[in-house]
Amino acid sequence: MQPVTTVSGAAYPWGAKNVDTDVIIPAHWLKTISRAGLGRGAFETVRAQPGNIFDDPAYAGAPILIAGDNFGCGSSREHAAWALADLGVRAVIAPSFSDIFSGNAVKNGIIPVVLPQAAIDRLLAVAAEGQPVTVDLETMTVTTAYQDRFAFPLDPFRRRCLMEGLDEVGLTLARDRQISDYEAATREQRPWTQPRSDHARIAVEGAGRT
């Protein structure tokens, strides 16, 4: 996962409420286990409508999506976060998120920014004018070219994971030394817990130290 500290640029001024994961990525796209290419299916039903915001050249490649309350509700499919990331979205700003989607977003390098509806309304207006929006994890703020500045909360652990580019694998690898030390101590102190093939090796190592 790539570290992210700042996301800045155009923003999709969508504002839709109760956007569930089936809207984000329809179920027939879930047959794949690859993240690549899922952006093509992102918001497929919305993009089937003429003049939709996701195919508007003015917002092509926008890294920020501004949505309404309860974004990401519905199923727990991680494909929803995969599809957004493949579409190029690195931050979603909304009044609230589904807990599962919020967790999946962070695991895929997407910042879930929670702001009150009044701030959302202001950002929708700014984005609709084509003005850039900036999400900054260093200062925990969302800012605009009009000097708007909105502070947002984020769990410190999730913030660290995003800024350091740590997913579950990365977090585990960061503790590789501690894990190795623990396994070595376990082999020494409780050899009967080890696989049978290890018993002879442990006995030889023990004899060599006497």
Side-chain angles (χ1 to χ4, degrees):
M1 188 171 87
Q2 292 296 316
V4 55
T5 56
T6 303
V7 179
S8 186
Y12 294 105
W14 197 24
K17 298 181 179 180
N18 299 313
V19 175
D20 63 32
T21 50
D22 196 53
V23 172
I24 298 172
I25 185 73
H28 65 85
W29 285 86
L30 307 189
K31 298 175 183 178
T32 178
I33 58 173
S34 172
R35 308 181 189 198
L38 283 178
R40 296 193 306 272
F43 304 109
E44 185 178 64
T45 55
V46 178
R47 295 165 85 172
Q49 303 169 14
N52 73 86
I53 196 170
F54 295 105
D55 289 325
D56 187 332
Y59 305 108
I64 300 171
L65 171 63
I66 305 172
D69 197 41
N70 198 28
F71 186 85
C73 57
S75 77
S76 61
R77 67 189 69 166
E78 192 173 5
H79 293 68
W82 293 357
L84 285 173
D86 196 58
L87 186 65
V89 172
R90 299 301 303 275
V92 180
I93 306 174
S96 67
F97 294 88
S98 156
D99 288 342
I100 294 177
F101 173 82
S102 182
N104 286 338
V106 170
K107 293 174 186 177
N108 288 277
I110 299 172
I111 308 172
V113 179
V114 176
L115 288 176
Q117 188 61 51
I120 296 295
D121 292 340
R122 172 59 180 165
L123 292 173
L124 286 170
V126 170
E129 294 179 8
Q131 296 297 321
V133 174
T134 298
V135 176
D136 192 333
L137 281 177
E138 290 279 3
T139 60
M140 296 295 290
T141 59
V142 177
T143 56
T144 74
Y146 295 126
Q147 306 305 310
D148 298 296
R149 187 181 182 88
F150 305 108
F152 65 91
L154 187 64
D155 176 80
F157 176 72
R158 288 184 169 183
R159 179 173 179 256
R160 178 200 164 206
C161 288
L162 287 164
M163 295 183 72
E164 296 183 18
L166 297 173
D167 54 14
E168 286 95 337
V169 174
L171 286 166
T172 301
L173 291 176
R175 294 182 174 272
D176 179 65
R177 179 60 182 273
Q178 293 94 320
I179 294 170
S180 296
D181 289 348
Y182 174 81
E183 290 178 340
T186 299
R187 286 195 297 269
E188 179 74 23
Q189 299 165 10
R190 295 189 292 277
W192 60 88
T193 67
Q194 303 306 305
R196 186 175 297 275
S197 60
D198 283 352
H199 290 178
R201 176 180 57 77
I202 294 170
V204 171
E205 290 176 351
R209 289 193 291 269
T210 60

